[in-house]
Amino acid sequence: MGMPIITPGTGSRDQAITDLIQSVALQETALSHVLNAEGEKMQAIIARPGITAEELFTLNKSVNKMLNAITRLEMIFQSKLELFSDQESTTPTTNTAQLDLDKISVNNVVINVPLTDLTAQSIAVTNAVILARAQIAPGFTVNFIPTDYDPLTGILLGRYEVISESNPTDRASDSTDRTITVVSLLPEPEPVPAEAELAKINVTEVTIAVPLSDVTAETAAIDQAIADAQLLVSPGYDVSFTGNYSYTATMFVALMVNNTDVNTPTGILTGRYTVTNSDNPADTATDPSSDRTINVLYHETVIVSNAKAQFMGGSLLDSTLGNLAELAPATAEFITGTTPGTSVVDTAKIDTSVLSGNQVNVAGIDFDLGDFLKLGAANQYANAMENGFARACAGAVNDSGVVNVGGLPDYPADAIIDLKQLIPANQKITDAQLTFGAINADASFSLGVPNSLMRDYSIGGAELRIVSPLLGNFANETTSVFAGIKDDVVVAGNDIPEIIGTAIRGQLKDIEDILPYLSIVSNTLVADASSSFDVNNALLPLFSQPILTENDSMTYDANFNSLSTDLNRQTSTTIDNLPPNTELFDSEMTARLASELNKMAEKLRVVEDTILDKILAEIFINVEGHITLSAGGAGEALGLDI
């Protein structure tokens, strides 16, 4: 892009205003090139293979800084234009509002927020006005009146209006809507999970236990609308409702009662739902611009409460667990005026063989579902009461609904997932399983009581265990290796006396050469090497009991050829404090497991180094013997003991 050229004017005030507007227009053109360059930069970076989320975040921050800077410049440009917007022109003009309206040809505008942002329409209208001002003559004001905006397509409909500043009667406006395409520099934000939960809510009718004209009807209707919606969203999400209630006594259809026409009253609740993640308040979603309409009904006899408890449901591998008759839930329902007594309780037990005989196929491997998942005895408990209270619990719970987080003798509610079923047959891994102990879940709700829905679950323990002959062989091979190291050192030590003897004889030979009258008569040097270190006794305490890492989260047991880890110690919190549906083996868990394996390996290496140091420290070498020397012609023998 070349440098903009502004031709000097005549020096008149109107010409100065014209030049100023032209300079702003040229600056706007320059900014459009900058924005285009930013867009091309983003496309080039996003297309790079292997780009990380951190790099995308950094890119987003860079683009936001640029957009903020451009926004500030736009405000400066607008202030320049407004310097003379309320001043009369000193030069007569022949322009009329209609002529200037005809000059406006704005087909698209650029905004710096996503198309679905609540401020998108307002920003688009502002930018449409700014572009139009650059196209009309000085002394005229331009407005844009929007009639519709579609955030999905980015289409803005509306009409321009031009008014003479010196003569307000000189004005003109479009007779039909213009279509302006809105282009966003920012992509639409990723949908938050709460939006998916909000979409699950389809409450169109509620029933309350008070007359529609009662002063408490509105509160009862809102509470019931929230309670009905809360049952539709996933655990961990809280539902609220903001709205208005209206009651009409004569508006509905007439009914025939004893051959007499009566008017049926109706209650209408209008408003919007909001869904919020209880663990992440930023994950929230509210109904958009339109209110929901919920019909409110009154019945003296209503279903007050119902409960269902199911220890296991959903799907596992390619088997739909809910279709297994053995996993049928316990259910309880209380209907006022129909159900006798004050409470209904139902229990349904599950034995350890419920899954056997159900064939599944994974990656071409057929096996019995009962071999893959082994369940301990579990119980299911459901209770519904006439006062609107309902409770359901499953797992380690008795027939009275008493839950035991450590597991009950009759209902331990364990679950063992045999991961070996998913591993191709080999001799290196003989067993691999994921064990959960004392599983139980509990939920309760009181009709008409705000915020009474309670959900909780607990897991007594969670362990990942791998069994392999290689883990058992490690202890035996370590003992064998260190015994071999000791033998090698001793054998090497037996060579030391010979080395010493050779050195001594060499020195004596040097003496013979220097002092010819000395000669070696005999040499009886002998030597041996030994070690008092007992490798077996040193390693026996090491492998006779489990070896644990510093925080006791990983255990190596040579007696059982196993390596196991407590998953509760591999998370930032205990497993039963994690939100429901949390992915257990995520990147954080994998990193923690790898770290613990390194700690276990380092602990064994330290032990090995210590034992090796002891072997080397307790090697003993003994050299004994007698060397006899003769002194030349004197015939004397000199003895030297070593």
Side-chain angles (χ1 to χ4, degrees), residues 11 99 186 272 287 305 370 373 389 452 498 529:
L99 290 177
L186 295 180
R272 302 179 188 183
D287 282 329
S305 58
L373 177 62
F389 175 79
S452 65
E498 178 60 31

Side-chain angles (χ1 to χ4, degrees), residues 146-378:
T147 57
D148 192 21
Y149 172 71
D150 187 347
L152 298 179
T153 60
I155 298 299
L156 175 66
L157 299 179
R159 303 182 182 186
Y160 275 110
E161 179 185 52
V162 176
I163 305 172
S164 171
E165 297 173 358
S166 59
N167 180 17
T169 59
D170 182 11
R171 58 196 306 149
S173 60
D174 290 324
S175 58
T176 59
D177 286 345
R178 300 192 187 216
T179 300
I180 299 176
T181 301
V182 182
V183 179
S184 173
L185 295 176
L186 295 180
E188 293 302 313
E190 291 294 329
V192 294
E195 291 179 347
E197 298 299 326
L198 182 65
K200 296 179 182 178
I201 300 176
N202 59 351
V203 179
T204 58
E205 184 177 276
V206 296
T207 300
I208 61 176
V210 297
L212 299 181
S213 58
D214 193 287
V215 293
T216 64
E218 179 174 3
T219 300
I222 291 177
D223 289 344
Q224 190 59 47
I226 292 174
D228 290 350
Q230 191 73 64
L231 297 174
L232 299 174
V233 301
S234 299
Y237 285 90
D238 297 326
V239 176
S240 60
F241 185 88
T242 303
N244 298 301
Y245 172 77
S246 60
Y247 164 74
T248 305
T250 59
M251 197 175 161
F252 253 38
V253 228
L255 295 178
M256 293 297 293
V257 179
N258 297 326
N259 297 319
T260 303
D261 288 342
V262 296
N263 291 318
T264 302
T266 180
I268 299 296
L269 181 66
T270 57
R272 302 179 188 183
Y273 276 110
T274 297
V275 175
T276 304
N277 188 329
S278 56
D279 294 320
N280 178 19
D283 178 18
T284 185
T286 300
D287 282 329
S289 55
S290 58
D291 288 340
R292 299 186 185 227
T293 300
I294 301 175
N295 294 323
V296 183
L297 305 178
Y298 163 66
H299 289 297
E300 291 183 355
T301 302
V302 297
I303 297 178
V304 174
S305 58
N306 56 73
K308 180 175 73 172
Q310 189 167 24
F311 181 63
M312 185 164 290
S315 62
L316 179 65
L317 303 178
D318 61 355
S319 176
T320 302
L321 300 177
N323 294 337
L324 301 179
E326 298 89 344
L327 294 177
T331 59
E333 182 177 77
F334 194 100
I335 305 177
T336 55
T338 302
T339 305
T342 61
S343 176
V344 175
V345 174
D346 183 34
T347 60
K349 301 173 179 61
I350 297 176
D351 61 35
T352 58
S353 60
V354 293
L355 300 178
S356 298
N358 294 278
Q359 294 296 312
V360 294
N361 182 283
V362 178
I365 303 174
D366 292 309
F367 55 84
D368 192 294
L369 187 57
D371 294 333
F372 176 77
L373 177 62
K374 300 177 179 62
L375 298 178

